[in-house]
Amino acid sequence: MSWVDLKSYLDQQGWRQTDRIGDKALVYVPAETGDGTVEILVPIRDDLGDYASRMADAVHLLARLEGRSALSVYQDLVTSGIDVVRVRAFGGGADGSIAIDDGVALYREAGNLLLAAACTVVDPRRSYHARKVTEATEYMKSVRLGQSERGSYVLSILSPVQPRIGGQQTLDLGEPPFARAVTLRLADALAAAKRAANRALAENAFAPFDESVALGVSANLCDAVARLAQVGQGIDIGLTWARTRPAGRPRQQFNFSSETAEVLQEAARIFRQSEPLTDTRINGFVIALDRSVDQFDGNATLVLLISEKPRRVRVHFEQDAYQQVIRAFQEKLAISLLGDIFPVGQRWEIRNPRELRVLDDQDNDDQAALLDGGVGVTGV
């Protein structure tokens, strides 16, 4: 490990250089104290006899002050071009191990957490369904898993960030690269989700979550955090920024308990109930017309699957689709269309129906299959 990495880390974390010992070392103290009771000597020559021991002392002191392992601090020091997301489960064994099923769940939900943040950078929404945002899924291909660490059970996710040209200590004044935008959004979303959960309990209201959508809070993010906290019996999520592209903020850490997880799960459920399914391929049956066939005005009721449950859904068709709708109703044939599904109170409705087709090759028993879970909304 280079002393330059240590100096850059201290600068980024808000430590202040207060003195210099000739050509041998720099003296750093924490910005919040600055009284000299805590200090780190940064050796600036690697040919000094106590170079290794000074560097080791600095790592151990940082670990103690930050409440984490020396290994995690060391890894932050040597990953200068990478934003690191570190997830620590409280429920790991004393030997640093974890049950295999729990470990698989932690890695899966950690990936879902980062993907949720990436989706909100492109398009902040209450919920994301099977078809995720393309730019977000492409970004996930660049993300790597770091080595697991001791300290209950710790996994790390490495998000490479393009270095800033023109001085490493220069902050982004314009749009940051997408990878950095994702980790910044993740930090903001985690903070907002924690605040929203506390307010929701105090006020017995969902509004705090609804107000946090623009900050990156979504059903997907709430679900991922909740599952991490449940599997880990409480979870710590820490973010450290690549020093080759300063983020203008120190290392951040967020804690979520199993109790908070229950609030987040309920928020995710409400988010999904209130999020429209846009540009969705829909298969179903026309089960009712608002008026008789000779007076049909385009208003009808379909039955289809939403979230694996059969639902009655209202829809208004334009006049050029009347004959197809009437035929599908009379002959009990399935139809396929593209539309936007919106929740309206306790009901659902389809808006902007288009590309309507009557599925002549469907068996007449398909309506019963639908009610048993056989036909429905594609991609939900």
Side-chain angles (χ1 to χ4, degrees):
M1 179 179 69
S2 167
W3 67 268
V4 176
D5 289 333
L6 176 58
K7 180 182 184 302
S8 297
Y9 182 86
L10 294 174
D11 289 336
Q12 187 184 55
Q13 295 300 107
W15 288 62
R16 293 189 299 109
Q17 181 184 334
T18 60
D19 200 0
R20 181 186 183 107
I21 305 175
D23 65 345
K24 296 182 179 180
L26 305 175
V27 180
Y28 272 83
V29 299
E32 61 272 16
T33 60
D35 58 6
T37 57
V38 176
E39 66 178 25
I40 288 179
L41 293 182
V42 180
I44 56 176
R45 285 174 41 196
D46 57 12
D47 60 346
L48 297 174
D50 62 349
Y51 180 86
S53 62
R54 288 294 186 186
M55 295 293 282
D57 288 344
V59 169
H60 286 288
L61 178 58
L62 286 170
R64 179 171 62 81
L65 295 176
E66 296 177 4
R68 55 197 184 114
S69 71
L71 179 58
S72 68
V73 172
Y74 173 78
Q75 290 186 332
D76 283 348
L77 289 172
V78 298
T79 52
S80 60
I82 296 173
D83 286 349
V84 181
V85 180
R86 186 171 284 103
V87 178
R88 180 168 70 93
F90 293 159
D95 60 352
S97 65
I98 196 170
I100 189 167
D101 287 345
D102 290 344
V104 170
L106 286 176
Y107 279 98
R108 181 183 64 247
E109 297 306 332
N112 288 339
L113 180 69
L114 201 59
L115 178 57
C119 286
T120 69
V121 170
V122 180
D123 179 22
R125 290 170 49 182
R126 289 170 172 79
S127 179
Y128 301 89
H129 302 284
R131 293 172 296 174
K132 303 296 192 303
V133 179
T134 301
E135 191 172 0
T137 55
E138 286 298 314
Y139 156 74
M140 291 298 293
K141 295 177 182 178
S142 70
V143 176
R144 296 290 182 265
L145 290 172
Q147 293 182 334
S148 60
E149 304 169 12
R150 297 285 293 272
S152 294
Y153 185 83
V154 183
L155 63 89
S156 56
I157 301 175
L158 311 180
S159 177
V161 180
Q162 298 95 321
R164 183 165 183 82
I165 299 174
Q168 292 186 1
Q169 297 306 314
T170 304
L171 296 177
D172 286 306
L173 299 179
E175 289 293 325
F178 189 79
R180 170 55 59 76
V182 171
T183 50
L184 291 174
R185 178 59 58 84
L186 176 60
D188 293 342
L190 291 172
K194 186 73 177 285
R195 290 194 302 269
N198 291 337
R199 281 186 56 200
L201 282 175
E203 301 170 11
N204 192 28
F206 179 71
F209 283 100
D210 215 23
E211 295 165 3
S212 301
V213 171
L215 296 175
V217 178
S218 66
N220 305 65
L221 182 126
C222 288
D223 259 345
V225 175
R227 290 169 184 163
L228 285 168
Q230 289 170 337
V231 171
Q233 299 175 37
I235 207 81
D236 264 340
I237 303 173
L239 292 97
T240 306
W241 318 104
R243 292 180 302 286
T244 56
R245 194 172 197 105
R249 59 176 80 178
R251 180 182 181 275
Q252 294 180 264
Q253 186 164 321
F254 307 92
N255 170 263
F256 294 89
S257 66
S258 300
E259 291 74 21
T260 303
E262 296 179 2
V263 181
L264 294 175
Q265 277 194 321
E266 177 64 7
R269 185 187 68 81
I270 297 174
F271 268 137
R272 289 198 168 93
Q273 283 185 341
S274 61
E275 176 69 12
L277 312 177
T278 59
D279 199 30
T280 302
R281 173 59 60 181
I282 301 163
N283 294 337
F285 287 87
V286 183
I287 61 169
L289 306 179
D290 277 16
R291 297 186 178 184
S292 61
V293 169
D294 59 340
Q295 296 182 336
F296 182 53
D297 61 356
N299 294 311
T301 301
L302 308 186
V303 62
L304 55 132
L305 289 179
I306 298 177
S307 299
E308 301 181 354
K309 294 182 180 180
R311 307 280 189 180
R312 291 173 178 259
V313 180
R314 297 281 298 163
V315 60
H316 175 77
F317 292 98
E318 296 299 325
Q319 192 168 6
D320 59 1
Y322 283 9
Q323 292 305 314
Q324 289 176 289
V325 175
I326 291 171
R327 176 172 167 247
F329 171 68
Q330 292 178 326
E331 300 180 23
K332 298 182 179 179
L333 294 173
I335 63 172
S336 177
L337 59 92
L338 202 62
D340 307 322
I341 305 177
F342 283 78
V344 180
Q346 299 299 314
R347 301 180 296 104
W348 296 80
E349 67 179 39
I350 298 173
R351 301 176 188 174
N352 191 26
R354 53 205 182 273
E355 299 182 20
L356 173 66
R357 291 184 292 116
V358 178
L359 305 180
D360 293 284
D361 57 348
Q362 294 292 307
D363 194 308
N364 286 340
D365 291 334
D366 276 348
Q367 188 164 359
L370 170 61
L371 298 176
D372 289 335
V375 185
V377 179
T378 304
V380 177

